[in-house]
Amino acid sequence: MGTVEGAEVSEAQIAVHWKEEEYYPPPEGLKKIANANDPSIRKRFAEENFPQCFEEYAELLTWDKKWDTVLDTSTPPFFKWWVGGRLNACVNCVDRHLDSRGSENAFIWVPELEDQETVELTYEELHRRVNEFAALLKEFCGVKPQDRVTFHLPMVLELPVAMFACARLGVIHSEVFGGFSGAACGQRMADAKSTILVTMDAYYRNGELIDHKVKADEAIEAARKEGTEVEKVLVFRRHPGEYHSESPMVEGRDFFVDELLERYEGQSVEPESMRAEDTLFLMYTSGTTGRPKGAQHSIGGYLSYVTGTAKYYQDIHPEDTYWCFADIGWITGHSYIVYGPLALGTTSVMYEGVPTYPAPGRPWRIAEKLGVQIFHTAPTTIRMLRKLGPDEPAKYDYHFKTMTTVGEPIEPDVWRWYHQTVGKGEAAITDTWWLTETGGFLGSTLPALEPMKPGSCGPMVLGIYAVIYDENGEEVPKGSGKAGNICIRNPWPGRLLTIWGQDERYVETYHKKYNRDPKSTDWHDWPWLCGDGAVQAADGYYRILGRIDDVINVAGHRLGTKELESAAIEVDEIAEAAAVPVIDELRGRAVEMYVSLKPGVDAGDEVAKKVSAQIEKQIGKIARPKNVWIVADMPKTRSGKIMRRVIASISNFADVGDVTTLANPEIVDQINEHVRAEKVARDEVPRELSEQELAEIKAFGQVE
């Protein structure tokens, strides 16, 4: 977090005083059938067996050629797994299941509108569709291995089909979350130097057919501004043969996929045998500067890691029906809707729409109808379903064996509702902690072996060795009640290779702070900074406090403050902007924007509305601020740095701390009086913050 002028304390110095919750034992029935039911599994993955322990994950895959080297540490911190090995991700997720699972469902797709038909896609049918689309990409688009193709697709079956088609060809895919704006998509295309966009005309959201193709035009313009010319736009149609977009199809650039596929009907494409360390996909995540970070994930390392963690932590068996209630536009969907589950040959459920459409009983109705055994969603969704339909789960006859939570820490009382009401007291909860960059889970309990503790993700997962450091690189001991920066001491297969095109930024972001020797090729000298604060209890279980950098986690979506602020400043009237998190009962965190105006500009509601609209246009509706506060000036250090900690405290009705060292301490009282009076008038006074939330607010914006 760095030492910041005017900062009261760093998060690493804050004592955490919440009570430790009680343990919940694993369900007895799960112990007999679980993939991980042998307590010796922890010993197999103990540090003395590293890195060879991860061969257990690699052996779950089918290899064209086995690896020569398990872990190559010769060019730190750019560690490579399974060097010398060759494989194809599509073969591992589709082809190899044809003999044993060909007629079984790979995906079950549920449309948002209940009067539309649920689609069952068998492994045989998936194989056919993947090959045809791969043929189209190869022949019509002329793609070659390690070229980049960008998708801007909603939750439709065409998305995993396109992912596997790229994987089959050794082409790098980059899916941009469908809710993001066209401008955000175009920026990511330019960064990846991707000239092919795969999109869709429309999709359903809250019962409405939303025009999506219109974003393609924005994306092309945004990419062009950054020097990348998009050559082809491939458009899937939500309703076959019908076009539901106001955006005109541009001749010679835009093509309907269904019409092109007629040329490739029944064609098959030989899968490319790729090196394990080649790139499978890019997943863009928000950073603390305006430019997004393209997390570059490998084929062999990533696929082995998500397969192993899906098997042992979600207890996925081929005969299960598994439902991850996330969006493939985020890493959760890549790892635990598509690649992990299908590498294991299971049936993965996809749902197009929002959890509460047309009513909050919808998820449980789907679970009952499809016989879902494994359920996976985010605390945001759980909070929403608890608020809008607290008694709905009891109305439906479904039975889960494991339930995963992902994306942000889950509050203990929400955890208990999830366990007792949603899980009916029968299911094990795997409260997972991890990041886009990590590829798969970092922290969780093994569902059949380790007791659950609300509010704590649990120990680190198999083969992950964590440490909590303070600002000076000293280890924070477990049971001390002190928080610090959680780091992973060792490399692991799922970790990103680097940030696409930004090796220096990769080293700076994840390794520089705690690196002991820049010349060392010993992995022990290269701890990986996760960017989250954490505290470890005496029992070894970790509680994650949230981000230590300028990223706001809204409903599991990571939004960079610099991206939000850059969008706000594009409004002509705005001189400065600062984005801060505010505690929100449904979304966990929401964004509030503070803006100051250029000289001579009058403050008014219209300016605030323009800021909200610009952020929505640039980033997407998920980033729309809860409030936009127009202030005379920002609280600043003498060096001119905006003290987001102070305004975050104001937004959350927390103590602003010592402001005497600010260059303009008098502005704090003005902002405080204005914002809090307005919030009281709007009935937006938040509940009293927990120690964990206070720690997060005090630490916010303290990264140098």
Side-chain angles (χ1 to χ4, degrees):
M1 274 175 285
T3 303
V4 178
E5 191 177 358
E8 188 178 15
V9 288
S10 78
E11 185 177 350
Q13 297 168 297
I14 296 169
V16 186
H17 301 296
W18 59 72
K19 72 182 183 72
E20 286 296 326
E21 300 286 338
E22 70 280 20
Y23 292 109
Y24 287 71
E28 283 298 322
L30 185 60
K31 293 179 184 178
K32 298 171 188 155
I33 62 166
N35 287 318
N37 59 10
D38 177 359
S40 72
I41 194 168
R42 276 278 173 204
K43 188 170 184 185
R44 299 203 303 269
F45 281 85
E47 190 168 341
E48 60 264 25
N49 297 322
F50 177 85
Q52 282 72 24
C53 57
F54 280 116
E55 290 188 288
E56 191 164 327
Y57 285 2
E59 295 286 359
L60 296 172
L61 303 180
T62 298
W63 294 81
D64 301 329
K65 177 186 176 295
K66 284 288 180 74
W67 53 92
D68 302 314
T69 305
V70 172
L71 173 63
D72 179 358
T73 63
S74 61
T75 54
F78 305 100
F79 303 118
K80 298 182 181 71
W81 288 83
W82 320 127
V83 176
R86 301 191 79 92
L87 75 168
N88 183 278
C90 177
V91 168
N92 273 279
C93 294
V94 185
D95 299 52
R96 69 176 180 151
H97 303 309
L98 293 177
D99 288 343
S100 59
R101 304 275 301 159
S103 60
E104 302 294 333
N105 288 328
F107 289 106
I108 302 175
W109 179 76
V110 181
E112 189 183 68
L113 301 189
E114 291 196 89
D115 60 359
Q116 293 183 0
E117 198 172 324
T118 294
V119 178
E120 298 184 356
L121 190 68
T122 66
Y123 275 93
E124 287 171 350
E125 179 67 8
L126 175 62
H127 183 258
R128 181 186 66 78
R129 288 182 59 175
V130 166
N131 272 275
E132 289 175 354
F133 194 62
L136 186 160
L137 287 174
K138 187 174 185 178
E139 295 177 29
F140 182 73
C141 299
V143 296
K144 303 182 298 297
Q146 300 295 275
D147 284 351
R148 276 79 60 204
V149 172
T150 300
F151 311 145
H152 197 199
L153 287 167
M155 282 292 286
V156 289
L157 284 171
E158 287 79 2
L159 177 47
V161 166
M163 291 166 69
F164 287 138
C166 283
R168 191 171 196 82
L169 299 169
V171 167
I172 300 169
H173 61 74
S174 173
E175 156 71 357
V176 177
F177 171 56
F180 273 172
S181 68
C185 178
Q187 289 164 2
R188 287 152 174 78
M189 290 191 78
D191 189 78
K193 294 185 170 51
S194 168
T195 60
I196 298 165
L197 175 63
V198 182
T199 188
M200 190 162 230
D201 65 335
Y203 64 97
Y204 285 94
R205 200 83 182 157
N206 278 314
E208 290 183 40
L209 192 58
I210 306 294
D211 187 343
H212 188 63
K213 163 64 164 63
V214 67
K215 293 182 180 179
D217 302 322
E218 300 170 11
I220 287 159
E221 189 54 40
R224 183 177 289 134
K225 281 181 184 173
E226 297 193 26
T228 294
E229 198 65 42
V230 177
E231 297 168 3
K232 287 186 171 68
V233 179
L234 306 181
V235 183
F236 285 106
R237 288 192 263 204
R238 175 60 179 79
H239 292 282
E242 301 174 15
Y243 186 55
H244 293 275
S245 173
E246 296 296 315
S247 168
M249 296 287 285
V250 176
E251 190 171 351
R253 186 198 75 186
D254 300 352
F255 304 90
F256 288 126
V257 176
D258 54 332
E259 293 178 357
L260 293 175
L261 281 173
E262 292 174 3
R263 308 180 196 175
Y264 304 102
E265 188 175 348
Q267 287 198 21
S268 61
V269 175
E270 191 67 23
E272 292 282 341
S273 185
M274 303 298 294
R275 298 184 309 162
E277 64 268 31
D278 284 335
T279 302
L280 179 59
F281 65 88
L282 303 179
M283 170 62 67
Y284 280 90
T285 182
S286 295
T288 54
T289 66
R291 184 179 174 186
K293 296 181 298 192
Q296 185 176 340
H297 281 289
S298 69
I299 300 172
Y302 169 83
L303 191 60
S304 63
Y305 194 71
V306 297
T307 305
T309 49
K311 178 173 181 173
Y312 289 143
Y313 282 89
Q314 300 189 287
D315 197 51
I316 293 176
H317 296 71
E319 61 272 16
D320 287 330
T321 298
Y322 161 84
W323 184 12
C324 177
F325 206 150
D327 195 294
I328 297 173
W330 304 102
I331 190 68
T332 296
H334 276 51
S335 298
Y336 298 115
I337 296 177
V338 182
Y339 284 111
L342 266 75
L344 294 168
T346 197
T347 298
S348 185
V349 175
M350 288 178 61
Y351 173 60
E352 178 183 29
V354 297
T356 53
Y357 185 84
R362 184 72 187 280
W364 323 127
R365 195 152 57 246
I366 293 170
E368 178 187 71
K369 178 183 175 185
L370 301 183
V372 173
Q373 292 114 329
I374 302 170
F375 187 69
H376 184 167
T377 195
T380 300
T381 303
I382 300 166
R383 286 191 296 266
M384 185 190 308
L385 293 167
R386 183 177 74 147
K387 180 178 181 180
L388 300 178
D391 303 319
E392 287 294 315
K395 299 175 184 177
Y396 299 94
D397 185 23
Y398 64 83
H399 297 276
F400 298 146
K401 64 170 178 174
T402 65
M403 305 191 306
T404 301
T405 175
V406 64
E408 58 186 305
I410 183 169
E411 302 86 348
D413 62 323
V414 178
W415 188 101
R416 280 186 277 271
W417 181 81
Y418 192 42
H419 183 260
Q420 295 297 336
T421 304
V422 176
K424 304 178 180 179
E426 303 169 341
I429 292 178
T430 45
D431 177 0
T432 66
W433 166 69
W434 57 298
L435 309 163
T436 299
E437 299 93 327
T438 73
F441 305 146
L442 288 183
S444 182
T445 49
L446 281 161
L449 294 175
E450 294 164 343
M452 304 162 275
K453 188 165 70 168
S456 297
C457 67
M460 291 297 100
V461 304
L462 298 168
I464 299 294
Y465 319 123
V467 62
I468 297 176
Y469 288 125
D470 66 14
E471 289 302 307
N472 301 316
E474 297 297 322
E475 187 170 340
V476 178
K478 68 180 181 180
S480 65
K482 299 287 185 183
N485 302 326
I486 189 168
C487 300
I488 310 303
R489 294 189 294 106
N490 62 300
W492 65 97
R495 194 175 82 173
L496 78 167
L497 292 164
T498 185
I499 299 171
W500 177 260
Q502 302 179 73
D503 285 352
E504 288 182 12
R505 186 180 180 189
Y506 171 78
V507 177
E508 179 80 24
T509 303
Y510 304 107
H511 290 286
K512 186 175 180 182
K513 187 175 181 72
Y514 295 118
N515 172 237
R516 298 177 181 89
D517 177 4
K519 295 179 181 177
S520 174
T521 58
D522 182 346
W523 61 260
H524 294 84
D525 292 326
W526 293 92
W528 197 84
L529 176 66
C530 300
D532 277 328
V535 65
Q536 188 181 22
D539 60 11
Y541 279 34
Y542 292 85
R543 183 176 289 224
I544 305 302
L545 302 178
R547 303 302 299 162
I548 58 172
D549 62 12
D550 294 358
V551 172
I552 302 173
N553 190 333
V554 179
H557 307 311
R558 282 164 47 89
L559 302 172
T561 55
K562 294 298 189 292
E563 286 184 289
L564 292 158
E565 292 159 5
S566 297
I569 288 171
E570 288 191 20
V571 174
D572 286 342
E573 293 90 340
I574 302 304
E576 289 184 308
V580 298
V582 62
I583 305 300
D584 183 271
E585 289 304 310
L586 279 182
R587 293 175 288 174
R589 304 292 178 269
V591 174
E592 289 200 341
M593 295 297 303
Y594 285 75
V595 297
S596 59
L597 306 179
K598 292 175 181 174
V601 175
D602 292 329
D605 288 345
E606 287 307 308
V607 174
K609 288 176 184 174
K610 286 170 79 170
V611 169
S612 286
Q614 184 65 20
I615 289 171
E616 186 175 323
K617 178 185 173 188
Q618 284 289 102
I619 302 170
K621 287 184 179 177
I622 190 71
R624 190 178 181 89
K626 187 170 186 175
N627 289 301
V628 177
W629 304 112
I630 299 173
V631 296
D633 194 9
M634 305 283 188
K636 292 172 184 169
T637 65
R638 295 188 183 103
S639 61
K641 178 180 169 67
I642 296 172
M643 283 302 297
R644 292 181 184 82
R645 169 184 67 81
V646 172
I647 51 180
S649 297
I650 291 171
S651 276
N652 289 280
F653 282 60
D655 179 13
V656 297
D658 179 19
V659 297
T660 56
T661 57
L662 295 184
N664 54 349
E666 70 287 346
I667 200 71
V668 176
D669 285 340
Q670 292 179 33
I671 297 173
N672 205 350
E673 190 175 321
H674 167 60
V675 170
R676 295 193 183 187
E678 283 287 322
K679 286 201 169 208
V680 169
R682 298 177 193 178
D683 196 25
E684 288 185 13
V685 179
R687 58 166 168 73
E688 186 176 349
L689 271 59
S690 68
E691 290 288 341
Q692 175 179 339
E693 290 163 342
L694 282 168
E696 177 190 332
I697 297 304
K698 284 178 180 290
F700 187 76
Q702 293 190 37
V703 167
E704 284 293 340

